[in-house]
Amino acid sequence: MKFEGTDSYVADGELRAAVNAAIALERPLLIKGEPGTGKTELAHQVARAIGAPLIEWHVKSTTKAQQGLYEYDAVARLRDSQLGEERVHDITNYIRKGKLWEAFTADERPILLIDEIDKADIEFPNDLLLELDRMEFHVYETGETVKAAKRPIVIITSNNEKELPDAFLRRCFFHYIAFPDEATMREIVEVHFPKLKSRLLAEALKLFYEIRDVPGLKKKPSTSELLDWLKLLLVEDIDPALLAERDPRKLIPPLHGALLKNEQDVMLFEKLAFMARRNSGPGGPQGPGAA
């Protein structure tokens, strides 16, 4: 069972090696990287490549580790007992299985995605140490032990919003998805837009990387935002010559709302454009980062 990438997901050699190492070691694969670099999509593509079912657990700030195991609805049982319901005599009617329970009891060896683990409380990773290590947990209300029949392939993503505990990190195989260089990005774009004209792609990529290099940018545009922008350029039939312009008065790119996601960055480009207009002349600023 090896991951070699797919026709719709560009994975470099190091990423493929990381996935296969985690599978061989039977350890969770911890994936970090900038938002929009394909961390979540990796789990989908690994599942597709090896023909495994995918179970997704999307973590929020309010998510507790126990929810991944199971939840006991004592309130519902109390209400049913007051109403004289027959189902109240079977406690399993009030136990909701979590994503780990679902993964541990799956008929086929699944991919378990724990997405954006760093959104939760700092204790969340520690609370899952034993379960991910032993691949089993105890259900106190019924006295049963749920144990993985087939050890799931666990992929955990993090946007690095907070540090993860050392004890948790020791149990994972780690890989950082570096932001793609221009050559790799071209491959990614060609997967999604195989018929994109070469000149439009060249000018769009050049402008995209110039924007990412602007000093003081609060949120650099990501791969997914580039793909959205390219889709809009195609829909609006934008002339590549418009992207090729380096007019200091037009530093904000067309349809920039797909790339710049907050008012501070838009204001930064407006300020750079103002400074470029004031200082324009022979030998003056020529690109978004020139000011």
Side-chain angles (χ1 to χ4, degrees):
M1 184 184 290
K2 281 202 169 187
F3 175 63
E4 300 293 346
T6 69
D7 56 2
S8 60
Y9 187 87
V10 177
D12 62 22
E14 289 186 1
L15 179 55
R16 294 196 302 270
V19 172
N20 293 322
I23 293 173
L25 292 171
E26 295 189 330
R27 288 187 176 274
L29 174 62
L30 175 60
I31 297 288
K32 290 187 179 183
E34 286 186 33
T37 50
K39 299 185 298 296
T40 302
E41 183 62 20
L42 174 66
H44 289 261
Q45 296 299 326
V46 173
R48 177 187 165 199
I50 67 176
L54 175 64
I55 297 171
E56 301 178 71
W57 185 12
H58 298 287
V59 177
K60 302 178 181 178
S61 59
T62 55
T63 303
K64 302 299 180 186
Q66 181 64 32
Q67 294 171 305
L69 309 180
Y70 69 93
E71 291 182 278
Y72 169 53
D73 194 346
V75 174
R77 193 180 188 201
L78 175 61
R79 184 185 64 243
D80 285 351
S81 68
Q82 292 170 339
L83 296 173
E85 297 281 352
E86 278 299 317
R87 67 195 305 268
V88 76
H89 300 295
D90 185 355
I91 197 171
T92 61
N93 289 324
Y94 304 94
I95 291 178
R96 291 196 292 267
K97 297 177 181 180
K99 296 297 184 180
L100 267 73
W101 190 326
E102 187 180 338
F104 288 2
T105 56
D107 292 333
E108 299 178 59
R109 187 185 190 187
I111 306 289
L112 172 61
L113 168 64
I114 304 177
D115 197 29
E116 297 189 326
I117 194 171
D118 53 326
K119 277 188 175 180
D121 183 86
I122 189 62
E123 291 304 317
F124 180 90
N126 279 334
D127 291 342
L128 288 176
L129 286 180
L130 189 62
E131 289 75 15
L132 290 177
D133 224 10
R134 296 184 180 177
M135 287 290 161
E136 66 178 44
F137 61 89
H138 187 69
V139 183
Y140 295 97
E141 289 77 8
T142 64
E144 67 179 306
T145 296
V146 178
K147 187 169 184 177
K150 299 179 179 68
R151 192 178 184 97
I153 299 167
V154 182
I155 297 178
I156 303 171
T157 72
S158 169
N159 287 326
N160 236 0
E161 291 182 7
K162 61 170 70 82
E163 287 296 320
L164 298 174
D166 288 345
F168 180 80
L169 294 175
R170 281 198 302 273
R171 288 165 169 81
C172 297
F173 190 93
F174 171 76
H175 181 75
Y176 182 86
I177 298 181
F179 196 82
D181 58 23
E182 192 165 334
T184 304
M185 188 65 82
R186 184 180 291 272
E187 289 183 52
I188 294 170
V189 171
E190 287 174 350
V191 165
H192 293 270
F193 303 103
K195 297 181 180 179
L196 191 66
K197 292 180 180 178
S198 58
R199 188 184 173 201
L200 178 61
L201 176 56
E203 295 297 345
L205 286 179
K206 185 176 181 181
L207 185 52
F208 173 75
Y209 280 99
E210 285 181 1
I211 291 170
R212 281 185 56 88
D213 288 341
V214 170
L217 204 63
K218 183 176 181 181
K219 184 193 178 305
K220 295 182 178 182
S222 67
T223 305
S224 61
E225 288 156 347
L226 169 65
L227 295 175
D228 286 345
W229 185 51
L230 286 169
K231 184 176 181 179
L232 288 175
L233 294 179
L234 288 172
V235 169
E236 297 296 329
D237 196 22
I238 298 296
D239 189 337
L242 182 62
L243 302 181
E245 286 184 7
R246 292 298 182 267
D247 188 337
R249 296 166 297 178
K250 299 178 181 178
L251 284 174
I252 296 183
L255 303 168
H256 65 270
L259 298 174
L260 305 177
K261 297 299 179 126
N262 59 66
E263 62 277 15
Q264 294 97 319
D265 289 342
V266 174
M267 290 173 64
L268 172 62
F269 271 77
E270 289 174 345
K271 180 180 177 182
L272 290 171
F274 171 78
M275 293 172 63
R277 284 195 298 272
R278 187 179 62 183
N279 299 324
S280 61
Q286 296 297 310

